[in-house]
Structure formats: C-alpha cells, structure tokens
C-alpha cells in the first residue's frame, strides 16, 4: 500500500531581549551557570512576575513577519508540570489567547512554492537546562529559565523531510532578518519538535502521530523524519497500531526511542496566571511595531528580481541579512545591479566560504566603478579583487601596480586592429564571404596582443567597421 506522510512542526525560538520574560535577570547565553537567576524566575513563593514589553514586541514582529493576525487581547496561562529544569513547577505560557494566529510561511522546494499555514505563535518562558554529559550525574543551569521564547506551531501541511527543512531554513532566515533572535540551533536558541503520522495515500483521515524531540540540526530533522515515516509504515504493515507518544531522536544511532506517552493539554491544568494581568495591545501599537520591521527576504528578493536579476541570483543575495545589506550598500554607490550581483555572487560568496568578508562595501564599490567606467576589464577586475582580498590594498593602487589599466585609446586600438587584419587575411576573407563568426578570432588576436588590456567592446566595434569598409 502507498502512504502519505503528514508533518506538523513546533518551533521554539529564544528572543534576544536584554532581560528575561518576567524578571530583570540578564538574558545571556554562556554566562556562569546559575548566575542570572532571581526569586521570580526560580519561582520562590510570593515572588511576582512583570511582563517584559520588549518580548511582546518581538513576538508580534515574528507574527507580522509570518503574516499572522495579532490578537489585541492576550492572556498568559500557567502550564503545570513537574520537572527538575522547572523549579516553579509551572511554565508561564499561552493557550487560549495566543499573541499571533493564522499566519503562513511560503517555502520553495524543487522550484515550486507552497504555503505552510501557521496555527499560532505564542509567547512563553523557557525552562532551565539539564546537563547530563560527562559529570556522572545530572546538574541543572537555571540561567535559561525565564528566557522569553516564542513557539511557532504549523498546521499539518508538511509532507516530506525536504519540505520540513525548507520550512525551517526560510523560518530561520526570516527571523534572522527581523533581528529578534540569534536563531542558533547549536546554542539552542532555535529548537524544533516534529509531529509525524502516516495515512493511506489520499485518505482524508489523519493517522495517529508521534512527536519527536531533541532535534539539534536541520540534518537531524531530515534524518529523523525519514526514519520515523519508515518505522510507522512498517508498524502498520505488521498489523500494529501507532501509539501516540513522545520520542527522543538519538542522532548518534539514527533511531527514535520512546520517552513517554503523549500528554494532552488537559493534563497540564492550564489556567490564567493570577499574577499577570490580561494584556491589551492596540492596533496603533501593532502598526508602530510593523513600521519598525526591516525589509524581509521575500520582499527584498522581489525587489532584486525587479532590478533584472534572475530568481536564483536574487535568492542567493537574500540568503542572509549580511549579504543583502552588503549588496544594497555597494549598489547605492554603483547603480549597476547585474555587475554588483555578479561580483558578489561569483567572487565574494565564493571567498566567504573560507573566511569572513575582507572587502568593505565602499572599497568593493571603488573596484566596480573602475570596471563600470571601462578603466579595467571585468577579467582584470577579478584579478584586482583577489589581490584586494589578499593584501588589503585599494583597487586603484592595485590597478597601477599590476599594470591592468584598460587600453581605451582609439589610435592605439586601431593600430592593433589593422595589424590583426593584415596578419590574418584568411579570417578577413571568411568574414567577407559571410562567415561573420570569424570576427571572434580577430578579436582574440587583438586582445592577446594588447595583453588583455584593450577595451573589448571598442575592439569589436572597430574591427567590424574596418571589415565592412
Ligand atoms: P500539542 O501541543 O499537544 O503537541 P497541537 O495540537 O498543538 O498538540 O499540535 C502540535 C503539532 O502537531 C502541530 O504542528 C500540528 O500541526 C501537528 N499535528 C496534529 N495532528 C497531527 C497528525 N495527525 N499528524 C501529524 N502532525 C499532526
Ligand atoms: Mg507538542
Ligand atoms: Zn530572574
């Protein structure tokens, strides 16, 4: 039998606020364990939480970036459970009235775009971090407890590992553009749980899902999905039922292990936190936040395509905010989108794979202006680029030092053109008899004799004029 895979993701993303979600403790990754804690985030009796306005603003920014409606009225609830990483024994979260609802993320897989609907984005606090490795037991660091977190929940619209990874990449890149989070999977500021079920192909009824946790990289998400869909299909084919449970992905052995049977929301005894007032956010405030949102990758990409760049090139330039900011900065000084895009894509991005950018935007612009003004050829420009990267010298100096100045003097070019015509009568005859491609050879000869410095456009024009005399 054929099966469909159905996937819904729950993505947790830590917000880059200065302080925690409900107290004034610092929100700093990597500090001395248990140094950023207080009675509020540790949940001492009688301590009172105060909502961090910035966290609300950031969560709304995420909602707007992903096309959500923002609820004017929102409520914080207690999600009760006991676990050593949660000393309060409840997490402040949102269930009934989350901040953001009903958005979508547009993904691109194999040249096709698809909308993955979002069910909600809510604001909550993170729990502490349990550390199990290498200490012969488990210890806990409560610094992370109380850090503001958004949870982004998709509808079950994802159908493959490829789509899931494309979704996460788009999500991560867009969040990075908004600046509300570091979105670093390796530091845990972006984490993802995968809900997965299978059903007979085409069936309307969803199968029983499992939830996989502990996915620490896009690669782990990809592998876990492929493993789990196969496992579920095999279970069903063997006549077994899928048990709704929470699984732990073990990346080292490439398998899922049962953690616990899945709890339902009623198990958590959610109720409005009596220590926190309901929050009202006016449309005016929402619009103010909207106006602070920077241009997002989809918007920028459309803009670049509008400049005449290909869809592919526009995607490459919007793969990170660093790159598109750089592109915009150079473009401001050299208004030649294709020239700038080609250099950044073919030269800068290639070099960036090895080390961080060595050529500031204004120095890059100086180089491209030389090319655009025909002072050096594109080929010479690439050579200058390499040297700039290596030596840190500026473009003009290098052009002098390397003797790369383009030959634009009409008389000198004409002399080279006439030489080529008299030295290669066969090519001239070919051209005159209608084989116009023969001109290519003659251009090549002129370029060679000028040591690559002659302005190729001028060479072409002059040769044509002479041959057609
Ligand atoms: P919980 O909070 O208990 O995990 P939710 O109803 O919020 O439950 O759903 C969590 C995620 O599971 C959502 O992304 C949703 O799209 C997904 N999901 C729900 N049902 C299924 C299913 N049958 N198969 C795959 N994913 C599902
Ligand atoms: Mg869940
Ligand atoms: Zn605190």
């Amino acid at each position: 039998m054929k099966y469909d895979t159905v996937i819904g993701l729950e993505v947790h993303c830590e917000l880059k606020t200065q302080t925690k979600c409900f107290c004034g403790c610092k929100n700093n990754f990597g500090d001395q364990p248990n140094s950023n804690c207080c009675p509020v985030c540790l949940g001492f009796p009688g301590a009172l939480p105060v909502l961090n306005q910035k966290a609300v603003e950031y969560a709304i920014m995420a909602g707007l970036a992903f096309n959500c409606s923002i609820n004017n009225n929102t409520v914080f609830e207690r999600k009760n459970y006991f676990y050593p990483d949660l000393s309060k024994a409840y997490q402040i979260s949102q269930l009934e009235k989350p901040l953001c609802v009903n958005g979508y993320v547009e993904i691109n897989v194999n040249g096709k775009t698809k909308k993955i609907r979002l069910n909600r984005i809510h604001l909550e606090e993170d729990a502490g971090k349990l550390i199990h490795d290498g200490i012969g037991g488990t210890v806990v660091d409560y610094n992370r407890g109380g850090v503001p977190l958004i949870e982004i929940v998709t509808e079950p619209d994802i159908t493959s590992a490829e789509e899931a990874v494309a979704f996460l990449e788009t999500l991560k890149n867009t969040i990075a553009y908004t600046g509300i989070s570091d979105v670093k999977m390796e530091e845990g500021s972006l984490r993802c749980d995968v809900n997965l079920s299978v059903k007979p192909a085409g069936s309307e009824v969803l199968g029983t899902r499992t939830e996989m946790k502990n996915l620490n990289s896009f690669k782990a998400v990809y592998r876990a999905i492929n493993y789990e869909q196969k496992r579920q299909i095999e279970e069903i084919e063997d006549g077994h039922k899928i048990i709704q449970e929470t699984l732990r992905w073990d990346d080292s052995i490439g398998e899922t292990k049962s953690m616990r049977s899945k709890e339902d929301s009623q198990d958590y005894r959610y109720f409005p936190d009596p220590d926190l007032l309901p929050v009202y956010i006016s449309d005016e405030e929402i619009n103010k936040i909207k106006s602070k949102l920077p241009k997002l990758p989809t918007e920028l990409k459309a803009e670049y395509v509008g400049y005449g760049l290909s869809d592919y090139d526009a995607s490459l330039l919007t793969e990170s905010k660093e790159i598109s900011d750089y592109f915009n900065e150079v473009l401001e000084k050299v208004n030649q989108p294709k020239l700038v895009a080609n250099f950044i894509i073919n030269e800068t991005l290639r070099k960036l794979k090895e080390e961080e950018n060595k050529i500031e935007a204004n120095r890059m612009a100086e180089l491209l202006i030389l090319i655009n003004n025909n002072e050096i050829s594109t080929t010479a420009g690439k050579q200058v680029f390499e040297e700039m990267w290596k030596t840190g010298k500026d473009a003009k100096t290098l052009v002098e030092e390397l003797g790369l100045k383009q030959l634009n003097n009409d008389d000198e070019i004409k002399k080279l053109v006439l030489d080529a015509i008299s030295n290669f009568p066969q090519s001239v005859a070919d051209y005159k008899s209608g084989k116009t491609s023969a001109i290519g050879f003659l251009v090549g000869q002129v370029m060679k004799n000028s040591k690559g410095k002659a302005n190729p456009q001028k060479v072409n024009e002059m040769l044509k004029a002479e041959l057609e005399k």
Side-chain angles (χ1 to χ4, degrees):
M1 184 151 58
K2 283 202 105 169
Y3 293 87
D4 291 336
T5 300
V6 176
I7 299 163
L9 300 179
E10 291 163 276
V11 182
H12 285 96
C13 172
E14 281 182 353
L15 301 177
K16 209 165 53 177
T17 51
Q18 299 204 321
T19 54
K20 291 186 181 182
C21 203
F22 301 104
C23 65
C25 289
K26 274 195 285 179
N27 173 17
N28 264 0
F29 179 83
D31 279 1
Q32 172 83 17
N34 298 310
S35 61
N36 299 329
C37 308
C38 74
V40 175
C41 53
L42 290 171
F44 288 9
L48 290 173
V50 178
L51 178 59
N52 182 338
Q53 190 178 344
K54 203 78 189 167
V56 175
E57 192 179 312
Y58 281 3
I60 291 175
M61 281 170 82
L64 294 171
F66 297 120
N67 317 291
C68 295
S69 314
I70 311 300
N71 277 329
N72 298 104
N73 292 293
T74 191
V75 172
F76 288 92
E77 275 141 325
R78 289 186 182 182
K79 178 180 181 179
N80 298 280
Y81 66 97
F82 169 79
Y83 207 62
D85 63 4
L86 186 75
S87 53
K88 284 211 297 282
Y90 64 86
Q91 177 193 29
I92 304 176
S93 181
Q94 303 195 289
L95 182 70
E96 294 296 331
K97 286 185 185 163
L99 258 179
C100 321
V101 290
N102 295 339
Y104 66 87
V105 177
E106 201 166 86
I107 62 165
N108 210 308
V109 180
N110 301 325
K112 276 195 209 131
T113 55
K114 176 173 174 181
K115 273 184 187 167
I116 306 297
R117 290 169 303 152
L118 297 183
N119 172 282
R120 60 200 275 141
I121 300 178
H122 70 246
L123 180 60
E124 61 185 29
E125 57 178 342
D126 208 346
K129 189 174 170 58
L130 295 176
I131 300 155
H132 311 281
D133 300 331
I135 31 188
T138 296
V139 291
V140 62
D141 176 7
Y142 287 118
N143 280 356
R144 201 179 71 180
V147 164
L149 204 62
I150 47 172
E151 179 170 341
I152 303 167
V153 183
T154 78
E155 295 294 344
D157 287 349
I158 298 167
T159 59
S160 68
E162 286 77 12
E163 282 186 10
V165 170
F167 173 85
L168 289 170
E169 277 170 350
T170 307
L171 193 82
K172 180 180 158 144
N173 190 25
T174 306
I175 294 175
Y177 267 84
T178 64
I180 62 172
S181 170
D182 287 331
V183 278
K184 287 187 185 152
M185 264 191 146
E186 64 282 10
E187 287 186 2
S189 57
L190 186 72
R191 311 194 289 266
C192 168
D193 301 337
V194 174
N195 297 271
L196 186 148
S197 64
V198 297
K199 61 180 174 63
S203 161
E204 296 286 323
V205 188
L206 294 186
T208 303
R209 71 177 148 133
T210 58
E211 180 179 25
M212 287 184 279
K213 293 195 175 283
N214 193 37
L215 301 157
N216 296 325
S217 66
F218 290 172
K219 206 169 144 208
V221 169
Y222 188 89
R223 290 177 67 209
I225 288 174
N226 283 329
Y227 172 88
E228 181 61 12
Q229 67 187 8
K230 185 158 168 270
R231 187 193 70 85
Q232 287 191 13
I233 290 169
E234 281 169 6
E235 287 286 319
I236 294 169
E237 299 266 288
D238 286 349
H240 300 138
K241 275 213 164 83
I242 301 300
I243 306 160
Q244 182 167 332
E245 61 184 341
T246 301
L247 305 169
R248 179 188 185 78
W249 171 251
D250 187 333
D251 206 43
S252 61
I253 52 169
E255 285 176 19
T256 49
K257 289 263 154 63
S258 182
M259 268 170 90
R260 54 175 188 256
S261 67
K262 172 93 182 106
E263 53 293 280
D264 281 323
S265 65
Q266 67 260 26
D267 298 330
Y268 290 115
R269 299 278 168 195
Y270 277 93
F271 66 90
D273 191 319
D275 291 339
L276 288 159
L277 291 167
V279 179
Y280 172 74
I281 304 148
S282 67
D283 287 338
E284 200 187 336
E285 272 170 285
I286 295 168
N287 285 331
K288 215 157 78 192
I289 295 168
K290 200 181 225 161
S291 69
K292 282 194 230 165
L293 212 60
K295 273 189 193 160
L296 300 174
T298 33
E299 204 179 331
L300 278 172
K301 200 180 142 188
E303 213 173 280
Y304 295 168
V305 169
Y307 297 161
L309 303 187
S310 71
D311 211 69
Y312 182 69
D313 285 355
S315 308
L316 290 177
L317 292 171
T318 49
E319 256 174 21
S320 79
K321 187 162 183 339
E322 242 178 324
I323 298 296
S324 58
D325 281 352
Y326 187 69
F327 175 70
N328 290 342
E329 224 179 314
V330 180
L331 194 63
E332 221 167 85
K333 300 190 166 75
V334 196
N335 192 13
Q336 297 290 334
K338 278 192 179 158
L339 174 68
V340 177
N342 281 341
F343 253 79
I344 292 180
I345 290 167
N346 297 324
E347 310 305 316
T348 313
L349 290 186
R350 175 173 56 84
K351 286 288 198 184
L352 275 176
K353 288 188 185 124
E354 293 149 27
E355 49 189 340
E356 63 186 281
N357 198 352
K358 287 268 185 77
I359 305 180
E360 302 87 342
N362 62 329
R363 297 203 305 124
M364 182 72 158
E366 280 168 15
L367 167 64
L368 298 181
I369 286 168
L370 292 177
I371 298 173
N372 194 43
N373 293 346
N374 284 326
E375 288 180 51
I376 56 172
S377 67
T378 308
T379 319
K382 288 181 181 172
Q383 200 182 331
V384 174
F385 175 89
E386 287 290 334
E387 289 299 312
M388 286 174 79
W389 194 282
K390 225 189 289 171
T391 64
K393 291 183 183 171
D394 66 78
K396 278 209 173 98
T397 310
L398 284 166
V399 169
E400 289 297 332
E401 277 184 20
L402 300 168
L404 291 171
K405 217 169 161 52
Q406 179 152 282
L407 177 58
N408 277 305
N409 181 303
D410 286 356
D411 294 340
E412 286 179 51
I413 295 177
K414 183 140 186 199
K415 191 174 164 297
L416 293 167
V417 163
L418 292 177
D419 281 352
I421 285 177
S422 68
N423 289 340
F424 298 98
Q426 187 55 50
S427 297
V428 175
D430 286 350
Y431 184 87
K432 293 198 163 162
S433 70
K435 257 180 78 184
T436 50
S437 63
I439 199 172
F441 175 77
L442 293 167
V443 171
Q445 288 305 315
V446 174
M447 292 309 292
K448 196 169 135 198
N449 287 333
S450 74
K451 302 204 175 64
K453 287 186 218 162
N455 178 337
Q457 204 185 332
K458 280 198 171 171
V459 172
N460 236 306
E461 284 165 12
M462 279 192 201
L463 259 173
K464 224 180 192 161
E466 286 300 323
L467 290 170
E468 273 163 20
K469 257 186 190 167

